[in-house]
Amino acid sequence: AGTGKFFVGGNWKCNGTKESITKLVSDLNDAKLESDVDVVVAPPFVYIDQVKSSLTDKIEISAQNSWVSKGGAFTGEISVEQLKDIGAKWVILGHSERRHVIGEDDLFIGKKAAYALNEGLGVIACIGELLEDREAGKTFDVCFTQLKAYADAVPSWDNIVIAYEPVWAIGTGKVASPQQAQEVHAALRDWLKKNVSDEVASKTRIIYGGSVNGGNCAELAKQEDIDGFLVGGASLKGPEFATIVNSVT
Ligand code: G3P
């Protein structure tokens, strides 16, 4: 950790029921969370209202996706305006599951990021390489291409957190080693320095995601360029998520 306030997001993905989410919210409300950390959870859309009305206001709400323009005749989509109306402050964009399962591309993701930022939502901008990219020595190329797509599209970097999530580490239990993650985070910061500005490079938080859990978070959090985490599976367990939030100390 080194840049700005430590940032920990819980991406609940497409998990949960009214009952399990009631329990998770109550565990989060009971947890002792380090106050000097930005903590955000991203419930499935249909539970955002329930979570917003029952969760401590020390934790902010993120959506897991948002539509690319103003709402209207877009069946099945959720607009940025609706997310703001319901109290969301953030949106996760460019997640690997949306890139690789749903088929969203860099251009579309960049447009979504620009729209959300222009309307005042914070963006958790995800990037990350596939295993085959890493094995072919293309990790930096792939991550820089994805980062450039955001850089080309966004109006400002004030409200962006970059989430580096190597696809081979997501949901696999195969976490990147602290050195592997630090190496990419440092390269991303360097890319920002060369291609955006010194200021953006030094103030933009770069968080790591991919099999983060209560056991491996402390070592990762010690790395200079790891400014927080985006947590999937382990964010569904309140006490473990709290351990990850508190790993910065
Ligand atoms: O967005 C968080 C995520 O993709 C990581 O998931 O389950 O490996 O922590 P997980």
Side-chain angles (χ1 to χ4, degrees):
T3 302
K5 203 168 168 188
F6 206 64
F7 184 105
V8 179
N11 176 6
W12 297 356
K13 306 194 180 182
C14 188
N15 291 295
T17 59
K18 272 206 260 189
E19 195 183 337
S20 71
I21 285 175
T22 302
K23 163 91 170 74
L24 178 51
V25 167
S26 127
D27 287 349
L28 290 171
N29 287 342
D30 289 346
K32 264 204 152 58
L33 299 177
E34 176 61 40
S35 61
D36 204 25
V37 178
D38 284 330
V39 187
V40 171
V41 293
F45 287 127
V46 290
Y47 299 115
I48 288 181
D49 204 26
Q50 178 195 337
V51 172
K52 175 70 189 154
S53 61
S54 52
L55 183 65
T56 166
D57 58 14
K58 290 180 201 140
I59 302 181
E60 291 188 325
I61 305 289
S62 174
Q64 298 176 17
N65 185 26
S66 58
W67 183 235
V68 68
S69 66
K70 193 166 158 33
F74 302 106
T75 302
E77 291 296 336
I78 308 284
S79 72
V80 170
E81 292 77 13
Q82 290 168 330
L83 294 172
K84 287 197 309 186
D85 185 39
I86 210 163
K89 293 274 187 289
W90 293 89
V91 60
I92 297 171
L93 293 173
H95 191 278
S96 98
E97 286 141 21
R98 297 217 61 92
R99 290 176 186 271
H100 301 295
V101 183
I102 321 284
E104 292 188 10
D105 65 16
D106 277 341
L107 197 64
F108 188 54
I109 294 164
K111 282 186 188 157
K112 283 186 174 191
Y115 189 78
L117 290 163
N118 277 328
E119 294 303 310
L121 279 188
V123 170
I124 302 170
C126 303
I127 60 174
E129 83 286 1
L130 297 164
L131 182 59
E132 65 203 57
D133 299 324
R134 178 162 281 264
E135 287 176 346
K138 292 189 185 146
T139 298
F140 290 170
D141 284 356
V142 169
C143 291
F144 294 165
T145 301
Q146 294 177 357
L147 187 55
K148 182 173 187 304
Y150 289 112
D152 288 346
V154 300
S156 122
W157 284 81
D158 289 347
N159 225 356
I160 303 183
V161 170
I162 297 169
Y164 168 58
E165 301 206 312
V167 181
W168 47 271
I170 297 178
T172 58
K174 256 178 94 178
V175 65
S177 69
Q179 296 69 27
Q180 283 175 319
Q182 167 60 28
E183 183 188 28
V184 178
H185 284 227
L188 295 172
R189 203 176 300 288
D190 192 51
W191 189 94
L192 290 174
K193 201 176 158 101
K194 292 189 178 122
N195 296 280
V196 184
S197 71
D198 281 349
E199 198 205 342
V200 167
S202 63
K203 73 165 199 220
T204 301
R205 289 169 292 181
I206 306 176
I207 65 176
Y208 168 80
S211 296
V212 175
N213 62 36
N216 59 31
C217 56
E219 275 308 307
L220 287 159
K222 281 187 198 152
Q223 303 304 308
E224 190 183 340
D225 291 292
I226 298 183
D227 307 314
F229 299 115
L230 188 56
V231 186
S235 71
L236 299 171
K237 298 172 217 152
E240 186 167 5
F241 185 64
T243 300
I244 297 169
V245 168
N246 296 337
S247 65
V248 67
T249 54

